[in-house]
Amino acid sequence: MAELGKKYCVYCLAEVSPLRFRCTECADIELCPECFSAGAAIGPHRRWHGYQLLVDGGRFTLWGAEAEGGWSSREEQLLLDAIEQFGFGNWEDMAAHVGASRTPQEVMEHYVSMYIHGNLGKACIPDTIPNRVTDHTCPSGGPLSPSLTTPLPPLDISVAEQQQLGYMPLRDDYEIEYDQDAETLISGLSVNYDDDDVEIELKRAHVDMYVRKLKERQRRKNIARDYNLVPAFLGKDKKDKEKAPKRKITKEEKELRLKLRPLYQFMSCKEFEDFFENMHKERILRAKIRELQRYRRNGITKMEESAEYEAARHKREKRKENKNIASSKRGKEEGKEGEFAAIENLPGFELLSDREKVLCSSLNLSPARYVTVKTIIIKDHLQKRQGIPSKSRLPSYLDKVLKKRILNFLTESGWISRDAS
């Protein structure tokens, strides 16, 4: 005889007090969960009839009597509420929510074994998730990671200069950046689970293009900061040069710097300065090597002897320079004396000025004839100024070229006016 207060399945006669299914069309038909799942039919009862679920206080187990720990359905419900409220990993809070009878270790082991590695977890969590979104915002240098562009300290400029440049110091950005419309490539992108492979690859290509533009933008900022282009634009580089004077740059080095200016974008400022500094050291070393080779050719083998040799060489060069100066002076004096050698013995030479001597020597004209022509031209000029008509009485040996040269000379010297010439 069945015990009083207990319920039994009408098909398998198993106890169904905690959880049972009652038929709404047949009287006194109650089935256990196993027979209900199998579709048991007995007498007038059929499996497609309506059912009512009867729960006895939540004391039954969802995983069967063989499950470890004997967790009741009420505890399972509290566990699921706790995992939703506190999140995975907060086992202390979850154990307090389930009840004092469960420790954090028991809560963790039961959830992992039943809901993750158990049949329920295998059925709900697939091995591979299609179209799974990958997090690219990791700090390991991903395409959209924060470490893509390392933030630099803001420029040390005044507020007025910031407004002039459109510079935002807290963001280290400008109002107008390089490739200003680069963000339009990704502004409308969205990843959907129903995207096919072609759409996914196209969106990845857009992100890759945007990353390239970001890198180029940051590279240009680094070049401007490295070579102090912003202070140069604002006129501050001149003050800095006055404060920290460097070695004097030769004209050849300035020209070479201008030729190599396109290499600025491939080398940092320090590398570029080191390059020219090494070239300067190389020129000094080459000059020193040539000097040592000259010492060796002259039989000098010790540095103590080189000082005596340099002093003697300096004296020799000084004497040679003085001798050249003296010889050049004598040559000029002899040249002046030889310049008038053809006319200095002719009559009338002593009447000429230095400029007239040069003119007569260049025209190969004797001083007497020049004085005659000069007298006639000046006399005719004076008569014309007095209104006396005069007829030109120039000698026949005076051709047009000589006449023109002499007239120009007398005009420039102030003997006659330009109108007369």
Side-chain angles (χ1 to χ4, degrees):
M1 183 178 178
E3 296 182 7
L4 186 64
K6 290 187 177 181
K7 302 294 182 179
Y8 295 90
C9 177
V10 296
Y11 191 81
C12 66
L13 301 179
E15 184 181 357
V16 292
S17 296
L19 178 65
R20 60 190 183 275
F21 294 88
R22 176 182 294 175
C23 180
T24 58
E25 299 180 15
C26 303
D28 299 329
I29 298 295
E30 294 182 353
L31 300 175
C32 65
E34 290 79 5
C35 295
F36 169 76
S37 300
I42 183 172
H45 175 70
R46 294 293 178 265
R47 62 181 181 180
W48 55 80
H49 287 180
Y51 291 91
Q52 181 182 6
L53 176 62
L54 300 177
V55 180
D56 186 11
R59 293 189 299 270
F60 64 94
T61 61
L62 295 179
W63 311 105
E66 67 278 3
E68 296 180 359
W71 283 64
S72 64
S73 60
R74 180 63 179 168
E75 290 176 329
E76 297 288 353
Q77 184 179 3
L78 292 174
L79 176 62
L80 296 178
D81 292 340
I83 196 71
E84 182 179 2
Q85 180 177 355
F86 300 107
F88 183 84
N90 296 327
W91 307 115
E92 292 80 3
D93 296 336
M94 292 169 61
H97 186 77
V98 171
S101 61
R102 300 296 178 181
T103 64
Q105 184 68 22
E106 290 177 344
V107 172
M108 181 189 69
E109 292 176 355
H110 180 73
Y111 184 82
V112 172
S113 61
M114 294 300 176
Y115 290 94
I116 296 180
H117 299 301
N119 293 331
L120 184 61
K122 293 178 181 178
C124 297
I125 304 175
D127 296 334
T128 57
I129 301 176
N131 296 333
R132 184 171 184 177
V133 178
T134 304
D135 184 13
H136 293 287
T137 60
C138 56
S140 59
L144 296 178
S145 64
S147 63
L148 178 64
T149 56
T150 305
L152 297 173
L155 296 175
D156 186 14
I157 55 179
S158 63
V159 177
E161 292 169 344
Q162 293 175 8
Q163 294 177 354
Q164 180 182 358
L165 296 174
Y167 178 69
M168 294 171 281
L170 297 180
R171 296 175 53 184
D172 193 31
D173 288 338
Y174 296 88
E175 292 180 0
I176 300 178
E177 293 278 359
Y178 168 75
D179 205 345
Q180 183 74 6
D181 299 330
E183 283 71 14
T184 56
L185 288 170
I186 62 169
S187 60
L189 287 184
S190 62
V191 180
N192 304 317
Y193 285 99
D194 56 348
D195 290 343
D196 55 16
D197 295 340
V198 177
E199 292 175 341
I200 293 174
E201 292 300 325
L202 180 61
K203 292 176 181 179
R204 287 179 178 175
H206 278 218
V207 173
D208 183 64
M209 293 166 60
Y210 175 64
V211 170
R212 291 173 183 267
K213 292 178 182 293
L214 278 186
K215 290 182 177 180
E216 177 63 20
R217 182 182 295 175
Q218 187 62 32
R219 187 184 71 86
R220 290 171 178 257
K221 287 183 181 179
N222 292 338
I223 291 177
R225 187 182 289 265
D226 192 18
Y227 285 93
N228 294 324
L229 299 184
V230 174
F233 175 77
L234 298 174
K236 292 184 176 181
D237 58 335
K238 297 180 180 179
K239 299 179 181 179
D240 297 338
K241 290 180 180 178
E242 293 175 359
K243 293 179 181 179
K246 298 181 180 180
R247 63 177 179 84
K248 187 177 181 180
I249 299 177
T250 60
K251 181 180 179 182
E252 292 78 9
E253 184 174 340
K254 288 182 180 179
E255 295 177 354
L256 184 60
R257 283 175 179 264
L258 291 176
K259 291 180 181 179
L260 297 180
R261 182 173 289 181
L263 296 179
Y264 282 13
Q265 57 181 324
F266 305 110
M267 302 171 66
S268 64
C269 183
K270 185 178 183 305
E271 291 174 347
F272 209 73
E273 292 297 332
D274 291 343
F275 172 70
F276 281 101
E277 191 66 28
N278 292 333
M279 289 182 61
H280 178 67
K281 291 179 180 178
E282 180 186 359
R283 285 195 295 269
I284 294 176
L285 290 175
R286 287 180 179 273
K288 192 66 177 177
I289 290 172
R290 288 194 297 268
E291 184 180 2
L292 294 175
Q293 290 175 346
R294 188 176 71 251
Y295 290 161
R296 180 60 62 87
R297 287 194 301 268
N298 288 276
I300 299 174
T301 57
K302 296 181 180 180
M303 293 302 298
E304 293 80 4
E305 299 174 355
S306 63
E308 184 178 354
Y309 169 77
E310 287 293 335
R313 185 175 68 86
H314 180 69
K315 290 181 180 179
R316 289 195 302 271
E317 291 180 354
K318 195 68 175 176
R319 286 198 300 268
K320 188 183 293 185
E321 183 180 354
N322 295 334
K323 190 181 293 184
N324 291 336
I325 293 174
S327 62
S328 63
K329 286 183 179 180
R330 285 197 303 270
K332 288 181 180 179
E333 293 176 357
E334 293 175 358
K336 286 183 179 180
E337 294 176 356
E339 184 179 1
F340 308 128
I343 61 173
E344 63 179 351
N345 296 324
L346 297 178
F349 179 77
E350 66 279 0
L351 302 176
L352 303 179
S353 64
D354 292 339
R355 292 185 61 194
E356 289 176 331
K357 290 177 183 178
V358 174
L359 178 65
C360 292
S361 178
S362 62
L363 296 178
N364 197 15
L365 186 66
S366 64
R369 290 187 174 184
Y370 169 74
V371 172
T372 303
V373 172
K374 176 182 176 182
T375 303
I376 293 173
I377 292 175
I378 294 176
K379 187 175 181 180
D380 291 343
H381 172 65
L382 293 175
Q383 289 179 354
K384 287 181 179 180
R385 290 185 63 181
Q386 295 175 1
I388 302 173
S390 62
K391 186 179 180 181
S392 178
R393 296 173 286 108
L394 293 175
S396 58
Y397 57 79
L398 190 66
D399 58 8
K400 293 182 178 180
V401 177
L402 291 177
K403 178 182 177 182
K404 187 175 181 181
R405 295 267 315 261
I406 294 173
L407 285 173
N408 290 336
F409 175 76
L410 294 176
T411 303
E412 292 174 358
S413 301
W415 290 98
I416 61 176
S417 62
R418 292 189 177 275
D419 297 338
S421 64

